[in-house]
Amino acid sequence: MLLAIKEDGGPKGKQVVTQVQALIARGALKPGEALPSTRLLAEQLGLHRSTVAAAYQDLWAQGCLDLRPGAQPRVRPRGGLIPAPPAGAPGFPWEARLADLGRLPRRPVRPEGAISFADFTMDPRLMPVAAFERSLRSVLRRRGPEVLAYGDPQGQPGFRALLAARMAQHGVAAAPEEILVTHGSQQALELVLRGVARPGDAVLVETPTYNQFLRLLGLLGLRALAVPEGPGGPDFAALEALVRRERPALAYVMPSFRNPTGRSLDPAQRERLLALCGAAGLPILEDGFTEEMKYFGRAIQPLKALDRSGLVIYAGTFSKILFPGLRLGWIAAPEPCVAGLTALRAAGELGPPPLLQEGLEDFIRLGRFDQHLARLHRCFRRRMDAALAALRRHLDPAWAAWEAPAGGYLLWLRLTGFDPALDLEAALARHGVAVRDGRSFFPCPAEGPRWVRLSISTLDEAEIARGIERLAVGLRALRGT
Amino acid sequence: MLLAIKEDGGPKGKQVVTQVQALIARGALKPGEALPSTRLLAEQLGLHRSTVAAAYQDLWAQGCLDLRPGAQPRVRPRGGLIPAPPAGAPGFPWEARLADLGRLPRRPVRPEGAISFADFTMDPRLMPVAAFERSLRSVLRRRGPEVLAYGDPQGQPGFRALLAARMAQHGVAAAPEEILVTHGSQQALELVLRGVARPGDAVLVETPTYNQFLRLLGLLGLRALAVPEGPGGPDFAALEALVRRERPALAYVMPSFRNPTGRSLDPAQRERLLALCGAAGLPILEDGFTEEMKYFGRAIQPLKALDRSGLVIYAGTFSKILFPGLRLGWIAAPEPCVAGLTALRAAGELGPPPLLQEGLEDFIRLGRFDQHLARLHRCFRRRMDAALAALRRHLDPAWAAWEAPAGGYLLWLRLTGFDPALDLEAALARHGVAVRDGRSFFPCPAEGPRWVRLSISTLDEAEIARGIERLAVGLRALRGT
């Protein structure tokens, strides 16, 4: 075996490894062929014997050599490298299963300078980053090893106690044992569906509703049952008939500032819904994703506040009122429900990072969150007023209609006289304004009017006014084309 | 309506609300009964009219009053409060589904002063907390609003590029597009099972194997197919027969320092396994949970390094080598597989917090992680040596056997002559030492010898020596009882 070790060729053991690999690769060393012992090779090359021994160990670990105590080192017959399949070969069946899961759409590229009513996230200009950093640092200094270790699979106890206390401010009586901390409310929705429903079951949804919830239903093999909605709210007679006929496993409801319409149920509608579901023993998944964003008038109590029977499972989140990237939300539900969902979640993953839970707890206990929330309310009262004024000013009520929401970030436009085949998002983007086409929020593609969802979450008053003016110009140009 | 507003009774609007609620509660105000107008009540009580109006709004929001423009305020008939079911009433069917999910066992209470070989987590004394805090702070200062916003659902691009580069050090060629960042490897395991297998499918597991994986199979309605194992490793003939007969959907393998045995597959076994699975088109889920913990001898390449066909899905994690509480792991797999699993995960939740991903990226890029890893290797080489020496010194090979692992944190004891009904964990705890009974790691309860898993992850040399002495005393006392 001919090896040439160079003084300036890098670590010598490494040179041995590379050169033996090369000899094997080009067939100069054949499978089964013996190599010199470590002693002999070390003498030949003028190396320490331990250097050669380490190089042989490396070659063994890479599967190149057979090393057995007392036997000569030999080149291993390579059996295991699985080659790439020939081009055009049929795939494995499990590849088709993965392909069925679909792909996330690429984020749309927005034209430079476009004003976006499409983004539904926290305005970076309103994020209290420095104050949160202080809370994180404080927790790391006080409890570093604890918050970087495995946490309580149900959520950190102190953070759960705090969430329970905040729920009490909304009239909801929940003990810390009745709280499960989740990765945002999105995980809460998935866990409840997986825990309560079985593939093939039907789930009641408002019309229109959160599009990602519809996607989730599809992935879990569940059917969406759309509750028809009139101008004043859900059609309760139709809802009752659906419940009787289809025996759904769950009702999914966003009572406040619903995504995408911004609408809320009034107290009478909430009670009627509860009475109806209570009589049928139908559990309700209440999505309170922007519960805290009531900035016009008084906050209406959540459904969960009116329930003593354990029928309502409440899902909350900090994503729409603080930092989406913390991925922190929660479920409030009867203890047996929370225990089952905790077990389900723990089998899949062990829960949100304790550091972020305790950091947020510190931030809230120091009053920093309530300060931030008060600022958000002041800010969005002005922004929503600006949006409503701009809509009144620029849009023609003959073909564009909307309702004034009592809070939240969303406006929902109903547009008549537009080509059903028109790609509204792309066409409006050419007018410098990004919106969400309302269609994806309907369980079944809706006929008739076109719908547009406007989120004002990341825009200030001036941007809103300019954006709605552009929207109006765009819509006028597109109408009847 | 008789209200008495006190000067020292707190906010006056709040007093109006509380007193009206009390009147309704005790029936002094009946459903449908009219209340004074805001103007009239304000005059009667000597309050601002706006105070009364706000109080009425609060009562409306709580569902107590009907308020309509131009009409008198009236007490609402309360229809919606769902009462608690009578004691002993039969539960709803969906409650049974939740109960089927089980409950997490409570954490066992350890006697004071017990030495724990049961904890398999990072030693708090070895956590580089301060260095990580600096990385977090640096990321928050540079990119605060970005890392606190929604991130890339597949994982932050820079962090994925870094993980891809680290995989290359293990001989695995993976592009950043072929990486999915997960909430620890636990989420990786669940995602792969949900993506590749369907309820009723069989999944091959080593014997014994990670107990939480067996739990996960059960929750997902999958069957564990145990590959028999001899003294030298898996029984490949039996494995081949199982694959032919049962057509499993997946093979789950921990090639290095397997949990619970600490055993590793040698290069020849790895190649044989790959050849067998490759011929059957059977995907392999490779769990590299302590890949980096090879501190005796040379690292063996992962299965994934030998695969060009896309059959191997690799799962890695930082939980066992840095901070378990970050909940950061990853999948390395062909791009279509990663795309499907990303879509599946995104429907349930939007991925690990960007702040922690970029904080860890900073920590690794600055060399802090490699420093930490080198320290871990030095430390656990000593600790494992101490454990092996203590075992040799205190245990009797006539009834206790073990193998020396090449890395990792785990030792696996085989014990003969013990009562099969003995609660080993409880009995040894009374001797001041906590261990994990090996039974939960077997797909089917094993007959014959008893097994004990020892984790040395949180103990220093002195604690290990003392703990193994206690273990030996305990086992001697319990043997043959």
Side-chain angles (χ1 to χ4, degrees):
Chain A
M1 192 172 71
L2 276 175
L3 303 184
I5 302 302
K6 295 183 189 154
E7 276 307 316
D8 57 351
K12 292 179 180 151
K14 177 104 191 182
Q15 292 186 52
V16 172
V17 171
T18 321
Q19 292 182 31
V20 171
Q21 282 175 324
L23 290 171
I24 294 174
R26 67 166 193 266
L29 275 172
K30 301 231 167 352
E33 198 170 333
L35 271 71
S37 69
T38 51
R39 195 183 45 73
L40 197 64
L41 189 62
E43 273 175 23
Q44 283 178 5
L45 300 175
L47 298 175
H48 284 288
R49 188 170 167 189
S50 64
T51 305
V52 175
Y56 276 11
Q57 282 289 333
D58 271 351
L59 288 161
W60 170 83
Q62 289 161 20
C64 301
L65 294 192
D66 270 329
L67 293 181
R68 289 199 189 85
Q72 256 192 306
R74 286 183 187 277
V75 176
R76 286 195 56 235
R78 295 301 295 252
L81 189 72
I82 313 187
F92 303 117
W94 51 274
E95 291 177 328
R97 292 184 175 179
L98 285 169
D100 282 348
L101 297 173
R103 282 175 171 268
L104 287 187
R106 288 184 183 281
R107 293 181 191 198
V109 181
R110 304 251 164 77
E112 192 143 349
I115 292 176
S116 173
F117 294 99
D119 297 318
F120 186 11
T121 183
M122 180 55 58
D123 188 338
R125 295 169 292 194
L126 300 176
M127 286 186 179
V129 175
F132 183 66
E133 196 224 302
R134 284 197 296 277
S135 283
L136 276 186
R137 205 187 321 157
S138 150
V139 167
L140 276 171
R141 301 222 163 142
R142 280 184 285 119
R143 283 174 49 76
E146 288 87 352
V147 295
L148 291 168
Y150 291 114
D152 183 325
Q154 189 177 342
Q156 298 303 88
F159 187 52
R160 284 192 280 119
L162 180 72
L163 291 172
R166 288 196 78 88
M167 297 275 358
Q169 294 174 10
H170 291 277
V172 173
E177 299 76 49
E178 296 174 309
I179 303 279
L180 168 61
V181 182
T182 58
H183 288 288
S185 57
Q186 191 74 21
Q187 186 182 45
L189 306 185
E190 192 200 28
L191 282 176
V192 171
L193 284 175
R194 286 176 65 198
V196 167
R198 291 289 171 279
D201 280 353
V203 173
L204 282 172
V205 298
E206 295 164 289
T207 318
T209 192
Y210 178 37
N211 51 356
Q212 289 306 310
F213 188 80
L214 296 173
R215 210 181 116 62
L216 185 52
L217 290 180
L219 269 178
L220 296 175
L222 300 166
R223 284 181 299 134
L225 274 187
V227 178
E229 182 152 301
D235 176 341
F236 282 98
L239 171 55
E240 198 158 6
L242 273 177
V243 170
R244 238 195 337 263
R245 199 177 67 228
E246 304 273 353
R247 303 192 156 279
L250 185 77
Y252 172 64
V253 185
M254 283 175 281
S256 296
F257 329 122
R258 187 195 331 160
N259 186 359
T261 61
R263 265 196 182 173
S264 300
L265 298 178
D266 66 28
Q269 288 169 325
R270 289 175 194 228
E271 293 184 1
R272 195 154 170 201
L273 180 69
L274 277 167
L276 204 154
C277 292
L282 174 64
I284 297 173
L285 171 51
E286 175 174 25
D287 186 342
F289 74 113
T290 44
E291 191 85 72
E292 305 272 5
M293 284 303 289
K294 173 85 174 179
Y295 46 77
F296 293 136
R298 302 290 152 166
I300 307 179
Q301 286 192 326
L303 298 172
K304 177 95 183 133
L306 302 171
D307 172 37
R308 300 284 171 278
S309 72
L311 213 59
V312 179
I313 301 171
Y314 183 93
T317 178
F318 289 95
S319 296
K320 299 299 187 196
I321 45 173
L322 185 59
F323 301 121
L326 293 185
R327 313 302 312 118
L328 285 176
W330 71 96
I331 286 171
E335 194 277 341
C337 172
V338 162
L341 297 180
T342 301
L344 180 62
R345 203 263 301 279
E349 45 100 1
L350 306 176
L355 167 63
L356 300 185
Q357 296 179 56
E358 297 201 12
L360 181 52
E361 184 190 340
D362 182 86
F363 182 84
I364 297 175
R365 289 206 191 274
L366 292 175
R368 291 169 183 163
F369 179 61
D370 282 327
Q371 247 173 8
H372 163 71
L373 210 51
R375 180 172 172 226
L376 273 194
H377 281 196
R378 284 194 304 275
C379 175
F380 280 94
R381 217 177 284 133
R382 287 197 308 268
R383 289 181 176 187
M384 187 58 86
D385 278 335
L388 291 167
L391 288 173
R392 281 191 301 270
R393 177 159 177 200
H394 296 295
L395 287 189
D396 183 346
W399 49 267
W402 63 90
E403 292 171 27
Y409 306 95
L410 300 176
L411 282 157
W412 184 239
L413 293 186
R414 181 182 191 277
L415 303 170
T416 48
F418 287 80
D419 180 356
L422 178 65
D423 181 342
L424 268 175
E425 292 185 9
L428 287 170
R430 286 191 287 273
H431 287 270
V433 62
V435 302
R436 290 300 301 272
D437 187 331
R439 279 182 178 162
S440 67
F441 298 91
F442 288 89
C444 311
E447 291 290 308
R450 298 296 299 265
W451 302 92
V452 162
R453 188 190 76 175
L454 303 180
S455 159
I456 59 168
S457 66
T458 60
L459 303 175
D460 65 22
E461 289 100 300
E463 291 159 339
I464 289 169
R466 239 185 5 260
I468 287 179
E469 194 174 346
R470 287 187 195 174
L471 174 72
V473 170
L475 288 175
R476 257 175 240 282
L478 295 165
R479 196 161 172 271
T481 57
Chain B
M1 191 171 72
L2 276 175
L3 304 184
I5 302 303
K6 294 184 192 154
E7 275 308 315
D8 56 351
K12 293 179 181 150
K14 177 104 190 185
Q15 292 186 50
V16 173
V17 170
T18 322
Q19 293 182 30
V20 171
Q21 283 175 323
L23 290 171
I24 294 174
R26 68 167 193 265
L29 275 172
K30 301 228 164 359
E33 199 171 329
L35 271 71
S37 69
T38 51
R39 194 184 45 74
L40 197 63
L41 188 62
E43 273 175 22
Q44 282 176 6
L45 301 175
L47 299 175
H48 285 289
R49 188 169 167 187
S50 64
T51 306
V52 175
Y56 276 13
Q57 283 287 334
D58 271 352
L59 287 161
W60 171 84
Q62 288 163 17
C64 300
L65 294 191
D66 271 329
L67 294 181
R68 288 199 189 86
Q72 256 192 305
R74 285 182 189 278
V75 177
R76 287 194 57 233
R78 295 299 296 252
L81 188 72
I82 314 188
F92 303 117
W94 51 275
E95 290 176 328
R97 291 182 175 181
L98 286 168
D100 281 348
L101 297 172
R103 282 173 171 270
L104 288 187
R106 287 183 185 281
R107 292 178 191 201
V109 181
R110 306 250 164 78
E112 193 144 348
I115 292 175
S116 174
F117 294 98
D119 296 319
F120 186 12
T121 182
M122 180 53 59
D123 189 337
R125 296 169 292 194
L126 300 176
M127 287 186 178
V129 175
F132 184 66
E133 196 224 303
R134 284 197 296 279
S135 282
L136 277 186
R137 205 187 321 159
S138 150
V139 168
L140 276 171
R141 299 219 165 143
R142 280 183 286 118
R143 284 173 48 76
E146 288 86 354
V147 296
L148 291 168
Y150 291 114
D152 184 325
Q154 190 177 342
Q156 298 303 88
F159 187 53
R160 283 192 280 120
L162 180 72
L163 291 171
R166 289 197 76 88
M167 297 272 4
Q169 293 174 10
H170 292 275
V172 173
E177 299 76 51
E178 295 174 309
I179 303 279
L180 168 61
V181 181
T182 57
H183 289 287
S185 58
Q186 191 73 24
Q187 186 182 44
L189 306 186
E190 191 199 28
L191 283 175
V192 171
L193 284 175
R194 287 176 64 197
V196 167
R198 290 290 171 276
D201 280 353
V203 173
L204 282 172
V205 297
E206 294 164 289
T207 316
T209 191
Y210 177 37
N211 51 355
Q212 289 305 309
F213 189 79
L214 295 173
R215 209 182 117 60
L216 185 52
L217 290 180
L219 269 178
L220 296 175
L222 300 166
R223 283 181 300 134
L225 274 187
V227 177
E229 182 153 301
D235 175 342
F236 282 100
L239 171 56
E240 198 158 6
L242 272 177
V243 170
R244 237 195 336 263
R245 200 177 66 228
E246 303 273 353
R247 304 192 156 279
L250 187 76
Y252 173 64
V253 187
M254 283 175 282
S256 296
F257 328 122
R258 185 190 341 155
N259 186 359
T261 61
R263 265 196 180 173
S264 301
L265 298 178
D266 68 26
Q269 289 168 324
R270 290 176 194 228
E271 292 183 4
R272 194 151 171 205
L273 181 69
L274 276 166
L276 203 154
C277 293
L282 174 63
I284 297 173
L285 171 51
E286 175 174 26
D287 186 343
F289 75 113
T290 43
E291 189 86 71
E292 305 274 4
M293 284 304 289
K294 174 83 174 176
Y295 45 78
F296 293 135
R298 301 293 152 166
I300 307 179
Q301 285 193 326
L303 297 173
K304 177 96 184 132
L306 302 171
D307 171 38
R308 299 283 172 279
S309 73
L311 213 59
V312 180
I313 302 171
Y314 183 92
T317 178
F318 289 95
S319 296
K320 300 298 187 197
I321 44 172
L322 185 58
F323 301 122
L326 292 184
R327 314 301 312 117
L328 286 176
W330 71 95
I331 286 170
E335 194 277 342
C337 173
V338 162
L341 297 181
T342 302
L344 180 62
R345 204 263 302 279
E349 46 99 3
L350 307 175
L355 167 62
L356 300 185
Q357 295 179 56
E358 297 200 10
L360 181 51
E361 183 190 341
D362 182 87
F363 182 85
I364 297 174
R365 289 206 192 275
L366 292 175
R368 292 170 182 162
F369 178 62
D370 281 327
Q371 247 173 7
H372 162 74
L373 211 50
R375 181 173 171 226
L376 273 193
H377 282 196
R378 285 194 305 273
C379 175
F380 280 94
R381 217 179 285 133
R382 287 197 308 266
R383 289 181 177 188
M384 188 58 87
D385 278 335
L388 291 167
L391 288 173
R392 281 191 302 270
R393 176 158 178 201
H394 296 293
L395 286 189
D396 183 347
W399 49 266
W402 63 91
E403 292 171 27
Y409 307 95
L410 299 177
L411 282 157
W412 184 240
L413 292 187
R414 184 181 188 275
L415 304 170
T416 47
F418 287 81
D419 180 356
L422 178 66
D423 181 344
L424 268 175
E425 291 184 10
L428 287 170
R430 285 191 288 274
H431 286 270
V433 62
V435 302
R436 290 299 302 272
D437 186 333
R439 279 183 178 163
S440 67
F441 299 90
F442 287 89
C444 312
E447 292 290 309
R450 299 294 301 265
W451 301 92
V452 161
R453 188 191 76 175
L454 303 180
S455 159
I456 59 166
S457 66
T458 60
L459 303 175
D460 65 22
E461 290 100 301
E463 291 160 339
I464 288 170
R466 234 179 16 253
I468 287 179
E469 194 175 348
R470 287 187 195 174
L471 174 71
V473 170
L475 287 176
R476 258 177 239 282
L478 294 167
R479 197 161 172 269
T481 58

